[in-house]
């Protein structure tokens, strides 16, 4: 009679443990599915944004240099790009000066 009670308790304990483990595993699988669906939606939105940016980049004037292009046109393009870079550099320097001024005022 003692062995029957011991084995019954062991079998019921194992069944209870298996049930709890299975339920936990099922919940984790459901959470994983929800996360995968959310990631899929995020990737779809990202793909839409990439397509929109690719279309916008395709509409922009492509910069292509060919071996047989007119050197005068290419030099003008380089000069234009350098002027744009210089303008951005000046704006960046002004922004840095303002930031440094604020930092100095704060540290005093």
């Amino acid at each position: 009679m003692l062995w029957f009670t011991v084995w019954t308790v062991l079998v019921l304990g194992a069944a209870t443990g298996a049930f709890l483990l299975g339920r936990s595993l099922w919940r984790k699988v459901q959470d994983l599915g929800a996360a995968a669906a959310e990631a899929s939606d995020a990737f779809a939105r990202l793909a839409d944004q990439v397509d929109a940016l690719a279309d916008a980049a395709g509409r922009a004037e492509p910069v292509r240099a060919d071996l047989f292009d007119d050197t005068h046109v290419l030099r003008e393009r380089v000069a234009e790009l350098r002027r744009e870079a210089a303008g951005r550099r000046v704006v960046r320097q002004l922004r840095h000066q303002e930031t440094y001024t604020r930092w100095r005022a704060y540290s005093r």
Side-chain angles (χ1 to χ4, degrees):
M1 182 71 177
L2 179 65
W3 286 110
F4 177 76
T5 306
V6 169
W7 279 105
T8 303
V9 169
L10 287 175
V11 168
L12 289 176
T16 303
F19 170 76
L20 293 175
L21 183 64
R23 185 180 67 172
S24 173
L25 183 62
W26 176 251
R27 288 180 179 173
K28 288 181 182 180
V29 166
Q30 286 179 330
D31 291 342
L32 179 64
E38 186 176 332
S40 175
D41 291 341
F43 281 129
R45 287 192 309 271
L46 181 64
D48 292 340
Q49 289 178 352
V50 166
D51 289 340
L53 289 174
D55 290 342
R59 281 182 270 142
E61 177 186 336
V63 178
R64 294 188 186 116
D66 193 8
L67 183 61
F68 302 110
D69 282 348
D70 185 19
T71 57
H72 182 68
V73 172
L74 294 176
R75 286 186 180 133
E76 286 179 3
R77 177 70 178 144
V78 168
E80 177 186 343
L81 292 173
R82 286 181 179 164
R83 282 192 299 272
E84 290 174 5
R88 289 191 306 267
R89 189 177 310 115
V90 168
V91 169
R92 186 173 53 247
Q93 288 173 350
L94 291 174
R95 203 172 52 234
H96 287 180
Q97 287 175 358
E98 292 172 2
T99 302
Y100 295 147
T101 303
R102 284 194 311 254
W103 287 353
R104 287 186 193 109
Y106 179 74
S107 65
R108 290 181 186 174

